[in-house]
């Protein structure tokens, strides 16, 4: 970055009038945009994690329910286990114990249900691996080998949930792109209005023999530095705000960890240099265009 | 140094200057006169490459202006001192900084330059106002500062546009002496002015030629001046 | 609004130099901010609806489960009904039919569960009214009059969900306030840099005898109009974008109706006038301060 | 019209003007001279309320300047025409619009004003440049435009700061005639200039008094001018 922003104004940068408000405007814009970017980033990352979790948890567990007369139960259970072992894409399968089934039923029957004496179906929890299995094929094989087994593969739940999460994540990224674009546009406009307001300064500098690169450089450094400073401020405030957001483990875990986690902490730190880069390019273009425009 | 060959110029309407030819040799001293709006300022602008002739050829230091890049023009401007008619300064910098601007822009700020700067500010009588901002100067003080800025690089050519328009007679004579001194050091001087007294005063000291723009042509004025 | 923004520039507004970039910057800022406001507004309103729904649905339905020997069942059920009738804050109560209970149990037992022959507890759905009931008091009265009845009032679910939704809604409103504040700040800065860049214009106008109110008025009208135009653009784009967001009825209904519904459509239409008002006040302050500052 | 009583002024450093008293009666014609930096422009600024005296009293149209509100000053400026030393214009408006600016600002743009405007532009010789932008004018053209703007409201008082600094002698005499004509119509005229020839030319036509600033005081110049 040190090529883009000098540690402080060089002597030659004094040729750019301080013009407090345009500079303040640039810093403020960069800051506000950085702040919003941090939020959008946090939202995107959180929804990303959410989508991943939904995709994996919901997709990877299915249930097979075996309803059969008591005497056929064990045979069908073994048949199901055999089928599952030879089905590609399944990581593991496990028959729920009576205790687990009792817990599932407790809200309806109370803790004292004599589950041993009931024609309760057996439940097999199936966990697929990352490739997933062919649910239609599995269903047909089960129908053939264990007629009492019914596959409940959550497909109808999974798809819209995952796509909803993906849509949220995309919304976050679109927001980031929009914010970056507006930042670039605003800094360009601020730089351009500063340059236009300083047409006379440029004229004087040309009169005394300043090269265009010299003039442009001074403006570019000024604006890049100001955008960087503003973005640092905005990022720090935004990150603090995100970190201070109360965590909540509820609402389908939707709000969990709107904050940054682990390696994702790198992202907010990337915002100020990126803002400086955007400002650098925007100002350089604005300066070149303006300098070409002024005779 | 400056050569014009059959130069014409128009701002878009009719031609303002037609078929102007001139060769300013090193060490010459010229005045340029003509009624208001006749094109004196325009002529000077052609001479330092701010305007490009619409016809004919302008050569500065043997280079055709049309073929110079922007940076080439910048390089040439460092060798030509210009006093603009409406003196232009950077409003946020002090008088001293403004006068030193050509040094700064060309990266020659150090050493002897600083001493030279102080001398020069004294010479144009701005020592008590050295730290003022341009907006805090009187009209005459601004013109003197502009002249100081034009000569700080000790350029080969000095072009001055009405350098004494806002200056009283005594001070005008002092500035004229500075210009004559520079001319004696071998610099080429061209002054646009409507002040005939100034021209008369100069003629008694130096072999000045007087050019006059009239009817879009550049003429050598008669000896009546 | 017509007092704030003239339909087009008055002749006297020509005294303000067009200074394209500052004006463009103002329009653009207002537009971008309006766009973001529409999104934040949509988010707030959607979360508001979500919070209301969660608060009402989850809070207002509780379940009483009665587990008792078959011969006491009817007596306890009547006792429970009696208790509920005399409990303030309860809108209605209803015993689930066997068919409804069968549906609840189907995933575990299949459709053929002989529910009549099972010691299945009775379930009473309780709907509270908007005041709500005192769950601790109800629990004690039930313990006294129907010892087999257990109240499951969802309290432990309700509170964090509702507070999570409220937090989201607050986040939306905070975002709106932040955006409005930044818009005001940016427009102030833009106006101030325009005014500062035009110190000479102001000097000339004063020289020829223009009153300060005349000068300020021209600047204020210019900026108010530009902010209004920008905000209209941003609002239209933002509303279109929200309207085009694919609806999804999933994810705990979280994404349902991120768009505007019914009377809420009024809100986006309020953005441009509000932006113009903000611009008007911001510019007027900036103009007054600058005019006082310039001698 | 303009009365100064024991007025002093300083920009923050030492006093620039001390103990200045003057009464400009209606219909009088004054010149103001003095070396560059002596305070001529400062004096004029005191006379149209842009600066407030640091001591003493300035009365414009019988009102104490210190007691005027901002709007009061604006009202008085509409009755005083000012030609600034560095002529200031609105760069985005044409010459004609700039000259008409005082009419527009005071809401008197209609009817006879327009005809008057065309006449006036012709008078200062700017008819061919009427639609140009100020930046496209020559130095002398700018000064003439500034003079036209100063008189468009036919003000009671006309203050002009070096109005002929960039103008050739013939045009200067023409402008002087305009000012003398205004004076004969009963207007009060005060011209700051360092051009002694102009003063001499005026004296042959009008009973002009010459004031001189020297050593921070305002003095009546001797009859040697
Ligand atoms: N940028 C421009 N565009 C169009 N016309 C211009 C431009 N600059 C100058 N002119 C016109 O060209 C003519 C000559 O202008 P110039 O400034 O060269 O005159 P000048 O001889 O310096 O006059 P003065 O003594 O009044 O300064 C004038 O009529 C002026 O209005
Ligand atoms: N705003 C200001 N702040 C500080 N000093 C100032 C300011 N304006 C003018 N001065 C100083 O006051 C002195 C008088 O200035 P003024 O412009 O009145 O002189 P003048 O008589 O008009 O000179 P000239 O003939 O050169 O125009 C000068 O030395 C100038 O530097
Ligand atoms: Mg000229
Ligand atoms: Mg002066």
């Amino acid at each position: 970055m040190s090529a883009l922003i000098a540690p402080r104004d060089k002597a030659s940068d004094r040729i750019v009038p301080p013009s407090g408000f345009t500079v303040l405007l640039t810093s403020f814009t960069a800051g506000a945009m950085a702040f919003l970017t941090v939020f959008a980033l946090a939202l995107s990352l959180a929804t990303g994690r959410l989508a991943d979790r939904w995709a994996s948890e919901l997709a990877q567990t299915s249930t097979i329910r075996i309803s059969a007369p008591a005497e056929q139960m064990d045979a069908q259970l073994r048949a199901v286990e055999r089928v599952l072992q030879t089905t590609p894409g399944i990581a593991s399968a496990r028959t729920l114990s009576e205790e687990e089934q009792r817990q599932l039923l407790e809200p309806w029957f109370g803790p004292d249900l004599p589950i041993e004496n009931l024609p309760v179906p057996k439940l097999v929890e199936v966990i697929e691996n990352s490739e997933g299995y062919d649910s239609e094929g599995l269903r047909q094989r089960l129908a053939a080998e264990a007629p009492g087994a019914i596959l409940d593969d959550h497909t109808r739940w999974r798809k819209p949930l995952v796509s909803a999460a993906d849509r949220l994540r995309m919304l976050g990224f679109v927001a980031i792109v929009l914010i970056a674009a507006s930042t670039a546009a605003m800094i360009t406009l601020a730089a351009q209005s500063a340059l236009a307001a300083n047409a006379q300064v440029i004229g004087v500098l040309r009169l005394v023999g300043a090269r265009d690169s010299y003039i442009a450089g001074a403006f570019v450094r000024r604006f890049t530095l100001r955008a960087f400073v503003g973005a640092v401020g905005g990022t720090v405030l935004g990150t603090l705000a995100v970190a201070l957001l109360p965590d909540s483990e509820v609402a389908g875990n939707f709000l969990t960890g709107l904050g940054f986690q682990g390696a994702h902490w790198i992202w907010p730190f990337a915002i100020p240099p990126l803002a400086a880069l955007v400002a650098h390019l925007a100002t350089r273009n604005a300066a070149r265009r303006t300098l070409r425009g002024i005779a | 140094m400056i050569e014009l060959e059959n130069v014409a110029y128009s701002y878009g309407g009719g031609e303002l200057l037609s078929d102007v030819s001139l060769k300013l040799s090193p060490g010459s001293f010229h005045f340029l006169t003509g009624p208001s709006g006749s094109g004196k300022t325009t002529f000077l602008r052609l001479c330092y490459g701010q305007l490009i002739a619409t016809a004919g050829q302008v050569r500065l230091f043997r280079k055709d202006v049309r073929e110079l890049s922007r940076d080439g023009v910048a390089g040439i401007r460092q060798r030509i001192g210009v006093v603009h008619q409406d003196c232009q300064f950077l409003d946020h910098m002090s008088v001293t900084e403004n006068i030193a601007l050509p040094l700064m822009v060309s990266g020659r700020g150090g050493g002897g330059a600083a001493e030279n700067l102080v001398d020069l500010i004294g010479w144009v009588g701005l020592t008590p106002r050295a730290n003022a901002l341009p907006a805090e100067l009187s009209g005459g003080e601004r013109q003197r500062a502009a002249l100081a800025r034009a000569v700080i690089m000790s350029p080969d050519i000095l072009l001055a546009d009405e350098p004494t328009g806002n200056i009283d007679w005594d001070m005008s004579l002092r500035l004229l002496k500075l210009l004559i001194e520079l001319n004696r050091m071998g610099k080429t001087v061209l002054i646009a002015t409507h002040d005939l007294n100034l021209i008369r005063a100069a003629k008694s000291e130096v072999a000045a030629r007087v050019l006059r723009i009239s009817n879009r042509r550049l003429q050598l004025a008669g000896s009546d001046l």
Side-chain angles (χ1 to χ4, degrees), chain A, chain B:
Chain A
M1 289 311 298
S2 56
L4 291 180
I5 48 150
R8 69 178 105 147
D9 282 10
K10 293 206 295 181
S12 70
D13 290 358
R14 286 216 56 213
I15 61 168
V16 180
S19 69
F21 295 117
T22 321
V23 162
L24 219 65
L25 185 62
T26 311
S27 301
F28 188 88
T29 306
M33 289 319 198
F35 189 91
L36 292 175
T37 306
V38 171
F39 265 89
L41 199 60
L43 182 72
S44 273
L45 293 175
T47 7
R49 284 197 298 270
L50 184 67
D52 287 347
R53 195 188 314 142
W54 279 349
S56 64
E57 283 183 8
L58 291 171
Q60 288 172 11
T61 65
S62 338
T63 318
I64 292 172
R65 186 177 72 231
I66 309 168
S67 306
E71 62 279 7
Q72 291 180 23
M73 191 57 105
D74 273 359
Q76 291 217 4
L77 184 57
R78 273 192 304 276
V80 166
E81 279 167 355
R82 227 179 307 119
V83 167
L84 288 176
Q85 270 157 21
T86 57
T87 304
I90 286 180
S92 69
R94 192 176 65 83
T95 309
L96 292 192
S97 72
E98 278 173 2
E99 192 46 40
E100 285 170 313
Q101 263 179 298
R102 199 197 309 276
Q103 272 171 19
L104 283 172
L105 296 174
E106 190 179 319
W108 285 278
F109 296 99
D112 309 320
L113 186 72
I115 206 166
E116 309 79 28
N117 311 328
L118 278 176
V120 172
K122 285 267 176 224
L123 297 179
V124 178
E125 190 184 80
V126 178
I127 298 181
E128 65 186 302
N129 63 21
S130 54
E131 274 118 56
Y133 60 87
D134 166 23
S135 64
E136 213 30 64
L138 179 59
R139 206 165 264 141
Q140 284 168 10
R141 287 186 62 198
L142 285 175
E145 310 214 3
I150 292 170
L151 173 67
D152 183 2
D153 71 350
H154 299 191
T155 306
R156 84 204 134 94
W157 282 99
R158 183 179 68 183
K159 282 197 181 142
L161 277 173
V162 171
S163 76
D166 279 343
R167 213 177 297 137
L168 266 181
R169 169 155 53 178
M170 227 187 58
L171 211 76
F173 281 123
V174 167
I176 291 176
V177 169
L178 276 180
I179 290 171
S182 340
T183 309
M186 285 193 202
I187 290 179
T188 305
L189 287 171
Q192 235 150 9
S193 66
L195 284 158
N198 287 307
Q200 200 221 332
V201 169
I202 294 170
V204 172
L205 290 172
R206 285 229 175 107
L207 192 67
V208 300
R211 285 162 202 270
D212 280 6
S213 54
Y214 181 92
I215 303 171
F219 277 93
V220 170
R221 271 192 304 278
R222 175 72 60 100
F223 273 88
T224 305
L225 187 64
R226 293 304 182 268
F228 181 74
V229 168
V232 166
T235 305
V236 167
L237 285 180
T239 311
L240 272 180
V242 166
L244 290 180
L245 267 187
D247 246 23
S248 84
E249 285 286 340
V250 295
N253 272 358
F254 179 75
L255 281 181
T256 309
L258 187 52
F260 298 100
Q261 287 174 6
H264 286 160
W265 274 104
I266 290 174
W267 286 105
F269 286 105
I271 293 177
L274 281 175
L277 186 69
V278 164
H280 180 83
L281 297 176
T283 320
R284 211 183 49 187
N285 276 345
R288 288 208 181 138
R289 211 163 336 126
T290 310
L291 284 174
R292 242 180 285 127
I294 298 175
Chain B
M1 307 243 102
I2 297 185
E3 289 164 285
L4 290 85
E5 241 179 77
N6 305 321
V7 164
Y9 192 81
S10 106
Y11 281 108
E15 264 187 6
L16 190 63
L17 298 170
S18 300
D19 199 18
V20 169
S21 294
L22 179 72
K23 198 166 156 174
L24 292 189
S25 43
S28 62
F29 199 116
H30 284 85
F31 282 102
L32 178 65
T33 60
S36 173
S38 58
K40 300 184 292 298
T41 302
T42 307
F43 181 83
L44 291 183
R45 282 183 176 164
L46 288 167
C47 291
Y48 64 88
Q50 195 182 52
L51 297 177
I52 306 287
T54 43
Q57 205 186 39
V58 177
R59 279 192 299 278
L60 303 179
F61 301 104
R62 300 218 170 71
K63 283 175 204 131
D64 189 331
V65 169
R66 284 171 301 186
E67 283 158 17
L68 283 173
S69 65
R70 274 232 187 270
D71 282 357
V73 172
I76 279 188
R77 294 248 178 105
Q78 297 182 1
R79 302 175 61 187
I80 305 181
V82 179
V83 181
H84 227 264
Q85 192 165 10
D86 40 351
C87 340
Q88 297 180 338
F89 297 102
L90 298 188
D91 290 333
H92 61 291
M93 289 176 132
S94 73
V95 170
T96 306
E97 284 174 311
N98 265 291
I99 293 176
L101 202 57
L103 296 173
M104 196 171 126
V105 155
S106 64
R108 279 186 250 165
E115 223 168 86
N116 194 3
L117 183 62
V118 172
D119 280 358
L120 191 60
I121 291 174
W123 219 103
V124 295
L126 287 178
T127 310
R129 310 293 301 144
N131 293 316
L133 293 177
E136 298 169 350
L137 293 186
S138 81
E141 287 165 348
R142 260 201 293 282
Q143 277 190 327
R144 289 179 265 152
L147 186 61
R149 187 179 66 188
V151 301
I152 186 97
M153 299 272 283
S154 63
D156 300 321
I157 303 176
L158 185 81
L159 305 175
D161 199 356
E162 303 278 14
T164 60
N166 283 312
I167 300 179
D168 53 294
W169 183 240
D170 293 348
M171 181 61 75
S172 299
L173 286 183
R174 248 174 80 187
L175 294 185
L176 182 64
K177 284 225 177 76
L178 172 62
L179 295 175
I180 291 173
E181 214 172 277
L182 285 172
N183 178 248
R184 291 203 174 120
M185 289 161 62
K187 315 290 183 191
T188 309
V189 177
L190 175 57
I191 304 173
T193 184
H194 66 263
D195 191 345
L196 303 186
N197 291 327
L198 192 73
I199 300 179
R200 284 189 204 106
K203 280 202 144 186
S204 65
E205 300 238 3
V206 77
R209 287 205 297 170
V210 180
L211 306 166
R212 169 186 293 280
I213 300 177
S214 104
N215 270 327
R216 315 204 313 263
R217 308 281 164 149
L218 193 67
Q219 305 165 335
L220 209 58
S223 57
D224 55 317
L225 285 170

